[in-house]
Structures are given as structure tokens and as C-alpha cells.
Amino acid sequence: MASHAAHGAAGLSKKFNHYDAEFKLSVLKRMWEDGLSCRQKAALFNIRNASYLSDWQRRNEAGGLDATKGRGRAIVAVARKIAVVLHRMWIDGTEFRFGSEAAA
């Protein structure tokens, strides 16, 4: 409801899901300067989920600006590549051989 109060009808619509590192850092700095909660800042900046802010803060404390980028898309891409290889092995009937002789 705070999002609706701050942004009107636009606060209830589907929100943007990807935020760049500079935006994340600017939101965090503003949150620290104003002393507002994650929930209040999420409503102010029209961010979908207030837990994003606590996650960004935790990542920033752990590793700085680069840590706020996330790894979600990379993990999905690797999982998709593995799924394609495994599917091809299943269709071909290829057996998995682990070790150096498998490359020969």
C-alpha cells in the first residue's frame, strides 16, 4: 500500500525486475543517508520486493559494487547448457566416462 501512496496506480502495476549496479548503489546510499527501512525505500523507488534491498546491502557489505550484480542469469545459462548435453547423450545412448581417457 505504501507503493500505491507514493506512486498512485503505477505503484500497483508490474515493476521492473532488473536493476543495474549503479542504481542499486544509489538506492543503498540514499537508504543509509535517510535512515529509512528497506520497505520504505522499496516503496519510494518503486522496487518490486523490499527483500531485494536487504540482499543488495548484504552483497555490498560482502564484496562492494561488483557483488550487487548477481549470478542468476549465469546459473540459468550453465544449467541450460548442461541440460542440452545430457539430453543429447540420452538420445544418442552415449555413456558418460569421467577422466582423462574419456577425452582420447
Side-chain angles (χ1 to χ4, degrees), residues 3 11-12 25 32 34 37 39 41 46 48 52 75 97:
S3 183
L12 298 177
L25 189 59
W32 297 326
D34 297 346
S37 69
R39 200 167 162 186
K41 275 299 167 193
N46 204 19
R48 175 187 296 205
Y52 288 173
I75 290 172
R97 293 184 308 271

Side-chain angles (χ1 to χ4, degrees), residues 36-61:
L36 297 175
S37 69
C38 292
R39 200 167 162 186
Q40 292 168 325
K41 275 299 167 193
L44 183 66
F45 282 95
N46 204 19
I47 296 173
R48 175 187 296 205
N49 193 339
S51 66
Y52 288 173
L53 294 172
S54 58
D55 184 47
W56 297 347
Q57 186 170 3
R58 184 176 33 79
R59 286 183 182 186
N60 187 56
E61 290 169 357

